[in-house]
Amino acid sequence: MNLNFKTAVLLVFMTMSVQGLVIAQQRTAKSYDEPFRPQLHFSPKAHWMNDPNGMVYFNHTYHLFFQYYPGATVWGPMHWGHAISKDLVHWQELPIALYPDSLGYIFSGSAVVDSNNTSGFGKNGKIPLVAIFTHHDPKGERAGTDNFQNESIAYSLNEGRTWTKYSGNPVLKNPGIRDFRDPKVMWYAKGKKWVMTLATKDRITFYSSPDLKSWTKESEFGNEIGAHGGVWECPDLFQLKLKGRSYWVLIVNLNPGGPNGGSATQYFVGQFDGKQFTPVDNSVKWLDYGPDEYAGVTWGNTGARKIFLGWMGNWNYATQVPTVMWRSAMTIPRELKLIDDKGNLLVASSPVKEIGKLSRVTFTRSNIEVRNRYVIKGLPQKLAAQYKVDLQVGSVKDAAIELTNSNNEKLIVGFNKKTDQYFIDRTNAGIHDFNKDFAGIFTAPRLSEKRSLKLTLVVDRASVELFADDGATVMTCIFFSNKPLNKLAILPASTIDVKSLTITELNSIW
Ligand code: FRU
């Protein structure tokens, strides 16, 4: 190459500044300390992330794969990113697990531990992890066909570090349904077969297989029941027990059409006989009423304990939120329990107990009568940006917690007795001009009949998760305050009896 001096100097300079930029970015990425970087929640070091995928517990490790585009901080050709954790709290991001190929992008799906080697992928006694995902063919989509989403599989014999795609892909061909995706597969022990729960436009279709390679249609569910304000996506099917009785829970994510607009997670409680799902009632139930939990499903292979994780985003504005290095995070992992509140079967969620590991300092107040705005004194000036609040009020009355900062940015989380609703108000919680739907007040019904109010908030730099009445009503809400919201106050409408208030500072997971 024949370069003149000026070009050479320019090139050297450009290379140096690009390197400098990369190094600077790597430094900030390493510290996980950029503006709005979650300190309790998993987020990728860099670039775009959406749905959690392939969640499976294997050899004492929780695997989390996720929809990932390494080329930008907006959605693009989908890969499966990969992270692992021993405790559901601390995460290590690993290299990309699955790359797009000639059959298309790698859309959402699940992973199973094929302990009996039904697939035949196991070798030398090594148990295969098998991923079941949607191949989304962008060419077919552009050409206006209706069969561009098909289900495929891949296997790994080294704990998900490298994957081999099956030569017979796709294993389940699209019969001509534009939205035909997000397979969640589980072992149905009673029938000794795999069951796939697949989102097929406005309903769920169940398939079964002896070997993960050949699939037979079993039944359909839901085109006339549940919420239908948008497309059904990312389903899940699993068992939960209540007082010794077994039920099946069917999760169906929906976009748009959520209770506060955009994306949300609904569920049904019922029975499943290996072929068909039958709900116990016709009511629409939401696992999370907030604007920012989506595509949530549970980990496989965790026994009777069911742990749920969602994407903390909403398709209404996910690609516009003001982070620079990366976009979006996951929720706190949540343990799901079936509860019976006066005949109403509900799935309640609570943050997994493992986050207790992060507890630093705890501030407790008990038995106080609060008449007016009550600023919680005695907290450190520099309260960590991540903490947990537990509030119990002796009676069911208007009560709210205000989280604020020295910029007077504030987020209010509370209960409104007249409407019998919980609410989160992020109108003045920070940056919101990137999308007109972002600022606002979001509401959720109180589902519990209990005679005292119990609120748990998990607060991070850019999110709050409300678990009310032991998780009967849950709301997830992100925000972008310019400083941490580290000043707290209680806002009553009339005198309320605060039985207990605990604020627990939490360590960063990074
Ligand atoms: C849900 C979803 C899935 C799809 C994936 C693509 O957020 O639309 O249905 O598989 O995202 O990234």
Side-chain angles (χ1 to χ4, degrees):
M1 221 190 310
N2 202 355
L3 296 175
N4 67 31
F5 181 69
K6 243 176 160 178
T7 322
V9 168
L10 195 67
L11 260 181
V12 169
F13 178 75
M14 274 168 60
T15 316
M16 276 169 53
S17 47
V18 168
Q19 272 170 355
L21 197 71
V22 169
I23 290 166
Q25 289 197 340
Q26 274 168 353
R27 248 186 233 135
T28 31
K30 231 181 218 148
S31 62
Y32 282 95
D33 201 24
E34 309 92 331
F36 316 122
R37 176 67 88 173
Q39 298 299 302
L40 301 175
H41 298 82
F42 175 77
S43 58
K45 277 195 198 99
H47 303 128
W48 170 265
M49 174 179 82
N50 55 290
D51 315 356
N53 293 151
M55 284 153 55
V56 68
Y57 184 61
F58 185 47
N59 284 346
H60 310 286
T61 301
Y62 294 93
H63 289 266
L64 167 63
F65 299 88
F66 47 88
Q67 288 288 279
Y68 187 53
Y69 180 46
T73 50
V74 289
W75 192 91
M78 283 289 116
H79 300 54
W80 273 25
H82 189 195
I84 51 169
S85 172
K86 292 277 178 201
D87 59 4
L88 293 166
V89 172
H90 299 95
W91 293 96
Q92 183 193 353
E93 191 173 338
L94 297 177
I96 290 172
L98 293 170
Y99 286 78
D101 56 45
S102 60
L103 295 177
Y105 303 162
I106 314 297
F107 269 23
S108 287
S110 49
V112 296
V113 178
D114 185 12
S115 310
N116 300 326
N117 198 19
T118 62
S119 61
F121 292 142
K123 274 184 206 94
N124 307 326
K126 277 203 178 143
I127 295 176
L129 265 186
V130 182
I132 308 96
F133 56 88
T134 302
H135 254 133
H136 171 100
D137 173 19
K139 287 192 245 88
E141 184 185 23
R142 276 195 299 270
T145 65
D146 55 9
N147 60 354
F148 52 87
Q149 294 187 337
N150 295 277
E151 314 326 314
S152 288
I153 58 177
Y155 66 93
S156 168
L157 297 176
N158 57 5
E159 316 242 341
R161 297 316 191 268
T162 56
W163 292 82
T164 308
K165 290 187 187 125
Y166 175 50
S167 54
N169 280 341
V171 292
L172 175 59
K173 286 211 172 118
N174 189 319
I177 302 170
R178 277 184 65 85
D179 300 288
F180 190 75
R181 59 178 178 267
D182 308 339
K184 175 79 195 227
V185 174
M186 53 131 194
W187 178 247
Y188 183 71
K190 230 174 159 182
K192 294 199 180 64
K193 61 181 183 181
W194 299 102
V195 168
M196 179 196 289
T197 306
L198 192 70
T200 49
K201 196 176 166 195
D202 58 352
R203 65 196 71 186
I204 294 301
T205 308
F206 296 102
Y207 294 85
S208 72
S209 169
D211 57 4
L212 297 164
K213 292 171 178 163
S214 63
W215 293 93
T216 308
K217 182 171 167 180
E218 294 287 0
S219 68
E220 291 179 0
F221 166 79
N223 66 321
E224 280 168 2
I225 178 175
H228 282 278
V231 177
W232 283 22
E233 299 182 317
C234 300
D236 194 1
L237 178 70
F238 52 89
Q239 251 174 318
L240 281 180
K241 277 201 168 146
L242 177 67
K243 294 185 200 126
R245 205 166 156 212
S246 205
Y247 293 86
W248 287 83
V249 175
L250 175 65
I251 284 181
V252 179
N253 286 278
L254 171 75
N255 179 59
N260 277 294
S263 335
T265 305
Q266 64 175 321
Y267 68 93
F268 305 87
V269 179
Q271 292 301 342
F272 181 71
D273 62 3
K275 280 182 165 293
Q276 210 158 356
F277 179 82
T278 315
V280 292
D281 60 41
N282 288 340
S283 61
V284 174
K285 300 174 189 192
W286 299 97
L287 210 53
D288 190 315
Y289 284 86
D292 298 305
E293 181 283 310
Y294 191 55
V297 289
T298 62
W299 261 278
N301 206 30
T302 54
R305 189 179 183 208
K306 291 315 291 180
I307 308 158
F308 171 93
L309 189 82
W311 171 50
M312 252 192 324
N314 188 317
W315 282 116
N316 279 355
Y317 42 71
T319 57
Q320 299 162 350
V321 298
T323 55
V324 176
M325 281 291 290
W326 84 100
R327 266 218 182 88
S328 84
M330 297 300 179
T331 64
I332 281 293
R334 301 165 181 179
E335 182 154 352
L336 303 183
K337 293 233 161 77
L338 210 50
I339 55 168
D340 181 348
D341 209 88
K342 303 236 160 89
N344 196 11
L345 282 184
L346 299 174
V347 176
S349 320
S350 41
V352 290
K353 61 177 186 316
E354 285 87 340
I355 71 160
K357 280 178 129 175
L358 301 170
S359 300
R360 201 150 66 185
V361 194
T362 300
F363 305 88
T364 310
R365 310 276 183 282
S366 45
N367 298 319
I368 32 176
E369 267 204 356
V370 176
R371 284 196 191 89
N372 304 307
R373 180 188 158 88
Y374 176 88
V375 178
I376 300 161
K377 298 223 175 74
L379 298 176
Q381 283 255 307
K382 282 206 156 204
L383 179 75
Q386 64 283 347
Y387 52 90
K388 190 155 90 69
V389 181
D390 292 286
L391 172 72
Q392 190 168 6
V393 180
S395 43
V396 180
K397 286 187 174 176
D398 284 20
I401 306 170
E402 179 193 75
L403 315 175
T404 176
N405 62 18
S406 53
N407 285 9
N408 210 19
E409 293 171 323
K410 56 178 89 155
L411 182 93
I412 305 166
V413 182
F415 174 70
N416 179 332
K417 166 122 201 238
K418 205 161 145 209
T419 57
D420 204 23
Q421 281 176 331
Y422 289 100
F423 66 88
I424 301 183
D425 181 350
R426 69 174 170 200
T427 316
N428 296 308
I431 303 168
H432 57 76
D433 55 1
F434 52 88
N435 184 289
K436 66 171 181 28
D437 292 332
F438 192 76
I441 304 175
F442 307 96
T443 59
R446 181 169 196 250
L447 301 172
S448 173
E449 304 272 327
K450 288 193 184 130
R451 288 164 66 178
S452 71
L453 287 181
K454 228 170 137 191
L455 278 73
T456 294
L457 307 187
V458 175
V459 183
D460 202 343
R461 273 198 193 163
S463 65
V464 63
E465 289 158 279
L466 164 67
F467 301 89
D469 306 308
D470 295 310
T473 298
V474 177
M475 297 180 83
T476 301
C477 186
I478 57 173
F479 60 86
F480 298 94
S481 62
N482 289 291
K483 285 185 179 169
L485 299 177
N486 57 6
K487 296 179 179 190
L488 278 74
I490 296 181
L491 312 176
S494 58
T495 307
I496 59 167
D497 48 328
V498 171
K499 289 260 177 268
S500 65
L501 169 70
T502 306
I503 295 143
T504 312
E505 260 194 308
L506 301 170
N507 286 320
S508 167
I509 65 169
W510 303 116

